[in-house]
Amino acid sequence: MPEYAGRLTRARDAMDRGGIDLLYLAPGANAQYLTGWRRNRPHFGNVNYPGGWIQGVFVGLRHGPILAVPRMVAEFDLDPQTSTSLDVRILPDGGDPAEFLEGVLREFEPRLGAIAIENRAWSEQAIALRTIRPDAEVRLASEVIAPLRMVKDADELRTMQTAADIVDRAMADIIDFLDPDSGQTELDVAYEIDRLMVKHGADGSSFVTNAWQMGPGEERPLAMKASRRPLERGNSLSFDFGSSLDGYCYDFGRSVYLGEPPDEYRRVHALVMQAAQVGIEALQDDQRTAEEVDALARQVIVAGGYGEHFRHRLGHGIGLDVHEPPYLDRGDTRRLVRGMCFTIEPSVFITGKFGARTEDVVVVG
């Protein structure tokens, strides 16, 4: 069970050091991390209610957390644990959200010199805040929350390990499901992966599941996702998917060959796996920066003659979001410490030939 009181204490200490008087967190990973307010499952489209932009958690140096939501959200979307563990303020139907926000802010006076808001808050939220408190300095909540979330505690690691186990079982099952040259499509495979993850205990997928082929002579764009294209022997099939569990995310990748792989594919696949192993072994406490780990693994593929086909960063932090800082990429000079979690995901994608990738989540040791 996450220890939210300790997280709040650490956040308030960071606020005090940084001269921040109030956090205003929109629905999302930061609010869940700090208070346990769970997000809804990801979905397409914009489901909203009048005054919906008011939704958020307010955390002061000594007051709060206060959760502000419209009446429809309070009645239909809040789980019982959230509604009983937080101080919930409800915007009534027909209520003025700006006046409501002003009333909430008054509870945190007299000190409201600097307010840190969610990095991806709605513009309505940010504009209303500036209108009501024009003299307040507006900062980003990531100044406070991001450093705390980078290092996972034992509860977080247990949840992510369970999410990893779910993905491993789904991958083992999907290999038996594959039936090339039968009319089975990439989308058939992607939807079966989603079904298997839920069957094995996931809340759902952590992002849109992808399974795509690359084959000889075709000019398929790398941006193309799982489609109605039938599986065909002689193609590589790459996977990118992850499970979500209690708000935490997993991210996973593999490539297989549909049929007997040619010698070059075997060599490239082995090269990708070697680069992954180098990256994994480099994740040691206080030994390297994020960009140094990227460079070490990348050099394996460069030395093998395929550097131009390793087209992305080595990996990224992961936790309540699929992509979190730090990033194993050029330019990220943050030093890695024990408890950080990263994907290690080298690849070689050659348009008109094949693709080979692997991806696992690794904890800095």
Side-chain angles (χ1 to χ4, degrees), residues 60 67 190 273-274 339:
L67 172 60
M273 297 305 292
Q274 181 185 351

Side-chain angles (χ1 to χ4, degrees), residues 35 64 93 257:
T35 70
D93 294 344
Y257 200 86

Side-chain angles (χ1 to χ4, degrees), residues 270-285 287-301 310 313-316 327-329 336 340-347 358-365:
L271 192 67
V272 168
M273 297 305 292
Q274 181 185 351
Q277 189 60 37
V278 168
I280 290 169
E281 291 175 359
L283 293 180
Q284 299 298 322
D285 179 41
Q287 295 296 307
R288 298 175 181 86
T289 65
E291 67 175 1
E292 287 171 345
V293 175
D294 173 271
L296 285 170
R298 188 173 301 277
Q299 183 55 36
V300 174
I301 293 178
F310 184 6
R313 63 194 177 196
L314 177 64
H316 52 81
Y327 303 101
L328 302 179
D329 199 1
L336 308 188
M340 289 181 172
C341 293
F342 292 96
T343 63
I344 296 291
E345 47 180 307
S347 71
T358 187
E359 180 177 10
D360 291 289
V361 175
V362 182
V363 184
V364 175

Side-chain angles (χ1 to χ4, degrees), residues 51-98:
W53 59 263
I54 193 67
Q55 289 188 76
V57 172
F58 298 79
V59 179
L61 288 169
R62 295 172 184 81
H63 188 51
I66 290 175
L67 172 60
V69 293
R71 195 273 305 176
M72 290 286 287
V73 172
E75 191 163 334
F76 293 103
D77 290 346
L78 286 188
D79 63 85
Q81 181 175 347
T82 298
S83 60
T84 57
S85 62
L86 291 178
D87 183 359
V88 181
R89 306 298 169 82
I90 300 173
L91 173 68
D93 294 344
D96 184 326

Side-chain angles (χ1 to χ4, degrees), residues 138-326:
V138 176
R139 307 263 289 274
L140 293 176
S142 58
E143 294 181 45
V144 174
I145 307 295
L148 302 180
R149 285 178 52 191
M150 286 181 193
V151 176
K152 273 58 182 180
D153 62 29
D155 286 326
E156 292 177 294
L157 292 176
R158 278 192 291 269
T159 300
M160 293 181 69
Q161 180 61 63
T162 303
D165 295 340
I166 289 168
V167 164
D168 286 342
R169 290 196 291 272
M171 186 66 200
D173 290 347
I174 207 66
I175 293 298
D176 293 333
F177 176 79
L178 297 178
D179 192 9
D181 297 333
S182 70
Q184 185 183 77
T185 70
E186 295 167 346
L187 279 174
D188 291 332
V189 175
Y191 288 136
E192 178 65 7
I193 290 171
D194 287 346
R195 187 192 71 83
L196 288 167
M197 288 193 290
V198 173
K199 172 188 172 183
H200 292 307
D203 296 331
S205 60
S206 55
F207 56 93
V208 178
T209 295
N210 198 13
W212 73 102
Q213 299 172 91
M214 296 181 73
E218 67 172 353
E219 297 298 320
R220 180 174 186 169
L222 289 176
M224 188 172 179
K225 305 303 182 184
S227 71
R228 290 184 170 84
R229 178 183 173 182
L231 302 190
E232 299 177 15
R233 293 185 186 278
N235 291 336
S236 64
L237 177 65
S238 294
F239 299 90
D240 189 14
F241 64 93
S243 63
S244 63
L245 184 66
D246 295 337
Y248 284 83
C249 303
Y250 198 76
D251 193 357
F252 173 89
R254 292 290 186 270
S255 291
V256 300
Y257 200 86
L258 302 175
E260 185 63 28
D263 289 344
E264 185 183 15
Y265 190 81
R266 292 180 182 275
R267 290 196 305 272
V268 168
H269 191 276
L271 192 67
V272 168
M273 297 305 292
Q274 181 185 351
Q277 189 60 37
V278 168
I280 290 169
E281 291 175 359
L283 293 180
Q284 299 298 322
D285 179 41
D286 200 28
Q287 295 296 307
R288 298 175 181 86
T289 65
E291 67 175 1
E292 287 171 345
V293 175
D294 173 271
L296 285 170
R298 188 173 301 277
Q299 183 55 36
V300 174
I301 293 178
V302 170
Y306 291 91
E308 66 181 293
H309 302 294
F310 184 6
R311 304 166 184 261
H312 52 80
R313 63 194 177 196
L314 177 64
H316 52 81
I318 186 169
L320 283 165
D321 285 315
V322 180
H323 289 191
E324 298 180 353

